[in-house]
Amino acid sequence: MSDSRPHTFSIKLWPPSLPTRQALIERITNNLSSKSVFTDKYGSLTVDHATENAKRIEDVAFSTANQQFEREPDGDGASAVQLYAKQCSKLILELLKKGPVAAKGETLSQQESPRETVFDISQGKRAFIEAEEAEELLKPLKELGNGYTKICFSNRSFGLGAARVAEPILASLKDQLKVVDLSDFVAGRPEVEALDVMNIFSNALEGSVLSSLNLSDNALGEKGVRAFGTLLKSLSSLEELYLMNDGISKEAAQAVSELIPSTEKLRVLHFHNNMTGDEGAVAIAEVVKRSPLLESFRCSSTRVDSVGGIALSEALECCAHMKKLDLRDNMFGTEAGVSLGKTLSSYKHLTELYLSYLNLEDEGAIAIAEALKESASPIEVLEMAGNDITVGAASAIAACVAAKQELNKLNLSENELKDEGCVEIAKSLEEDHPKLQYIDMSNNYIRRAGAVALADVVIKKEGFKLLNVDGNIISEEGVEEVKEMFKKKPELLGDLDENDPDGEEGDDDEEEEEKEDEEDGELESKLKNLEVNEDD
């Protein structure tokens, strides 16, 4: 038996088809360029400029209306259509009110004075931001014809409501934005909400033409990296990527390698204070291999040991344009140091090299120093502090320093170069080095002879700014002699508060051993009286 009851049909009015959207763009173009009550009052636009702005108006209106529709998915879309039309009308009027177009055909943008290109809300105290405040704060980004190419949302923690306000705005700007800074923009949010916010921003910016993206200080981890996957996969013109202090584990590093397929234009890749480890470093090394134009690479404080250090060193051979390399505070060891030396020997443009606290020891330090000496790199900054470097490596370092006449800063602090090594390096600086400004040889078991040798060299350098020889074992007479040498320029000599004139080489080790002996004796004494009690 057939059902004679009337059927109810649900007609979805949203979203409009592409032909419908295109027809609306044509109508908007006509409204902006043809004679009407409003164009008579405010002036009309040229057809080309009208077409350009019509596309922008329709895009902004569509994004706003689509957001409304998503909030009420069970509706028929009527309210979204109404908002779509209302937004178009509003934006057309706003644009016309900006002023008439000259009869010569100059566009509105040519007539207007230069606009701000940077939109930055990061100033002031770190704070949460919700929907209502976001509406007010982001208003300038909704102005038609705005010239913003760089936005910085750092230091403001976006909630879900604020992210939904930002979504259509970012979507409308993605063809003009070049630099986006989203560092520290979900601080203090629950993980689920933070990931939703990241997804919203990622989808809004998908397909943008960004040259620089900063996602630092967001505790991303693998989930966070993948939350930005839509955006990362779509970036084809990226030149700078910052992922510092992001909890980048080995899994997250592998996700980074997987989700950034296009790195041919990448010039800057910065990691810092992550937990990448060896396996993660191997994944990042794959990204480095695919980045032949890389000029600045930072992978400091990332818990990388020898295996990862070697992988990175070998990958860096592909980066012939490298200018700044920062690998500080890892545990590379001598083998990775030797591998890195092979890579550095082929560089021609390197100006800054930061290799402190890598456990290089003499073997690694010598390999690197000899490679740099033979390379064409115009080194300006060389840092190799805290690497257990002894007098045995001093000759190689001195020869390297002598060859690098562009040197501006030399940091060899917290090693064991002693007087002999210090004097040798001081002699290498005697000839020329017109740009030398900073030397740090603190904590190197240096006595009077080493300190005086360094002081004698740098005091003659025009433009020199600071010598640091604190934390050594310079005698009181030596201290007075050095101070006398800087009598006319005392500001060039760093503090000597930590210098120990009565200290001996190896004092720290002896004190540590004595302390351990005392602790062992105390422990042994307590163990003699140890009783086993079943009630405990």
Side-chain angles (χ1 to χ4, degrees):
M1 185 174 176
S2 62
D3 188 355
S4 60
R5 290 174 299 175
H7 293 279
T8 301
F9 293 94
S10 177
I11 300 175
K12 287 285 186 180
L13 302 176
W14 192 266
S17 66
L18 287 177
T20 300
R21 293 183 65 182
Q22 187 56 44
L24 181 58
I25 290 172
E26 290 174 4
R27 286 200 295 275
I28 295 171
T29 301
N30 189 55
N31 285 334
L32 292 171
S33 60
S34 301
K35 184 176 176 62
S36 68
V37 173
F38 294 110
T39 56
D40 281 346
K41 183 176 181 179
Y42 301 114
S44 61
L45 278 65
T46 63
V47 174
D48 286 346
H49 193 214
T51 302
E52 176 188 335
N53 281 278
K55 291 176 181 176
R56 279 284 308 281
I57 287 172
E58 191 279 334
D59 191 36
V60 171
F62 177 82
S63 295
T64 303
N66 195 55
Q67 186 181 51
Q68 170 72 23
F69 178 71
E70 288 178 352
R71 288 174 184 157
E72 44 186 51
D74 296 330
D76 61 3
S79 60
V81 171
Q82 186 178 8
L83 181 59
Y84 185 41
K86 184 178 178 181
Q87 280 291 101
C88 284
S89 177
K90 173 187 171 186
L91 295 172
I92 289 170
L93 191 57
E94 283 181 3
L95 181 62
L96 288 174
K97 284 181 177 180
K98 288 179 180 292
V101 174
K104 293 180 181 178
E106 293 179 347
T107 63
L108 188 64
S109 60
Q110 288 174 324
Q111 285 192 321
E112 292 174 345
S113 58
R115 292 178 175 271
E116 288 287 335
T117 60
V118 179
F119 182 80
D120 188 351
I121 61 171
S122 66
Q123 307 304 312
K125 292 183 178 180
R126 196 180 192 189
F128 281 175
I129 176 173
E130 304 301 340
E132 188 175 345
E133 186 183 358
E135 287 278 7
E136 185 64 30
L137 206 56
L138 303 183
K139 262 185 182 179
L141 292 176
K142 297 171 73 173
E143 292 179 4
L144 288 173
N146 74 72
Y148 294 116
T149 59
K150 176 181 178 179
I151 58 171
C152 179
F153 288 174
S154 180
N155 207 38
R156 294 297 184 98
S157 181
F158 278 72
L160 206 50
R164 285 175 176 151
V165 169
E167 184 178 14
I169 297 173
L170 293 177
S172 71
L173 295 175
K174 63 184 178 183
D175 289 337
Q176 74 185 56
L177 290 175
K178 301 294 183 185
V179 179
V180 170
D181 185 345
L182 299 179
S183 59
D184 193 22
F185 86 122
V186 288
R189 300 290 179 180
E191 182 183 279
V192 173
E193 182 179 18
L195 291 173
D196 283 343
V197 169
M198 291 176 190
N199 269 303
I200 288 171
F201 275 74
S202 175
N203 292 331
L205 291 168
E206 179 188 6
S208 55
V209 290
L210 301 185
S211 61
S212 178
L213 177 63
N214 190 345
L215 300 178
S216 300
D217 303 309
N218 283 312
L220 294 176
E222 183 186 5
K223 291 180 182 177
V225 171
R226 294 197 180 279
F228 276 108
T230 303
L231 171 60
L232 293 173
K233 285 180 181 178
S234 72
L235 296 176
S236 59
S237 302
L238 196 64
E239 296 180 17
E240 300 180 4
L241 177 62
Y242 301 89
L243 294 167
M244 298 184 287
N245 193 30
D246 268 332
I248 302 292
S249 61
K250 66 177 182 180
E251 293 84 5
Q254 288 160 357
V256 169
S257 180
E258 170 195 331
L259 294 171
I260 310 181
S262 181
T263 56
E264 293 85 0
K265 297 180 181 179
L266 200 63
R267 295 184 299 102
V268 178
L269 178 58
H270 281 197
F271 283 70
H272 171 69
N273 197 31
N274 286 304
M275 46 181 138
T276 312
D278 273 349
E279 292 181 63
V282 171
I284 297 304
E286 291 302 313
V287 179
V288 172
K289 284 180 186 177
R290 303 195 302 263
S291 310
L293 299 183
L294 206 58
E295 295 178 1
S296 179
F297 179 59
R298 183 178 186 185
C299 193
S300 52
S301 301
T302 48
R303 306 183 188 180
V304 179
D305 290 322
S306 182
V307 172
I310 292 171
L312 287 172
S313 298
E314 292 175 350
L316 286 165
E317 289 182 22
C318 303
C319 307
H321 299 275
M322 189 65 66
K323 294 179 180 178
K324 181 177 179 180
L325 181 59
D326 186 348
L327 301 170
R328 281 175 286 191
D329 191 24
N330 287 297
M331 290 298 290
F332 276 27
T334 58
E335 192 176 350
V338 171
S339 179
L340 182 60
K342 293 176 183 176
T343 295
L344 296 176
S345 64
S346 64
Y347 282 177
K348 297 179 180 178
H349 309 288
L350 193 66
T351 58
E352 298 181 39
L353 184 59
Y354 302 90
L355 302 177
S356 297
Y357 311 105
L358 289 178
N359 199 30
L360 296 174
E361 300 183 356
D362 283 355
E363 186 180 352
I366 290 171
I368 288 167
E370 289 180 345
L372 289 176
K373 178 194 170 188
E374 298 303 321
S375 77
S377 292
I379 298 292
E380 297 173 8
V381 177
L382 177 58
E383 292 198 6
M384 296 176 71
N387 274 302
D388 295 321
I389 301 172
T390 72
V391 179
S395 294
I397 294 174
C400 169
V401 168
K404 300 302 172 185
Q405 288 295 316
E406 298 294 311
L407 196 63
N408 173 271
K409 179 179 180 180
L410 178 65
N411 182 356
L412 294 169
S413 62
E414 296 185 55
N415 285 302
E416 299 175 27
L417 288 164
K418 302 182 182 178
D419 274 355
E420 185 182 342
C422 187
V423 169
E424 198 164 358
I425 291 167
K427 286 181 179 178
S428 72
L429 292 164
E430 287 178 344
E431 299 296 325
D432 300 323
H433 290 90
K435 298 181 181 180
L436 188 65
Q437 292 185 330
Y438 303 94
I439 292 182
D440 190 343
M441 294 286 280
S442 57
N443 298 288
N444 261 292
Y445 299 110
I446 297 172
R447 297 177 183 273
R448 172 192 167 280
V452 170
L454 278 171
D456 187 51
V457 169
V458 302
I459 200 64
K460 299 170 185 175
K461 302 285 184 187
E462 187 176 350
F464 190 80
K465 292 186 177 179
L466 187 65
L467 171 66
N468 184 5
V469 287
D470 202 9
N472 285 302
I473 51 176
I474 309 167
S475 65
E476 291 180 2
E477 294 79 6
V479 169
E480 291 305 315
E481 187 173 353
V482 170
K483 286 184 176 179
E484 181 64 26
M485 296 171 77
F486 284 89
K487 186 176 181 181
K488 293 182 179 179
K489 298 179 180 179
E491 71 278 6
L492 305 187
L493 180 63
D495 292 334
L496 290 167
D497 298 341
E498 301 299 321
N499 181 65
D500 182 7
D502 299 320
E504 293 292 335
E505 295 165 15
D507 268 0
D508 290 344
D509 293 337
E510 290 173 8
E511 287 176 10
E512 192 65 33
E513 287 176 11
E514 288 176 8
K515 183 179 179 182
E516 287 176 3
D517 288 342
E518 289 175 8
E519 289 174 350
D520 288 345
E522 186 177 349
L523 181 60
E524 188 177 336
S525 174
K526 288 181 178 178
L527 287 175
K528 284 180 180 177
N529 300 319
L530 184 65
E531 293 182 4
V532 178
N533 191 327
E534 194 172 14
D535 294 335
D536 292 343

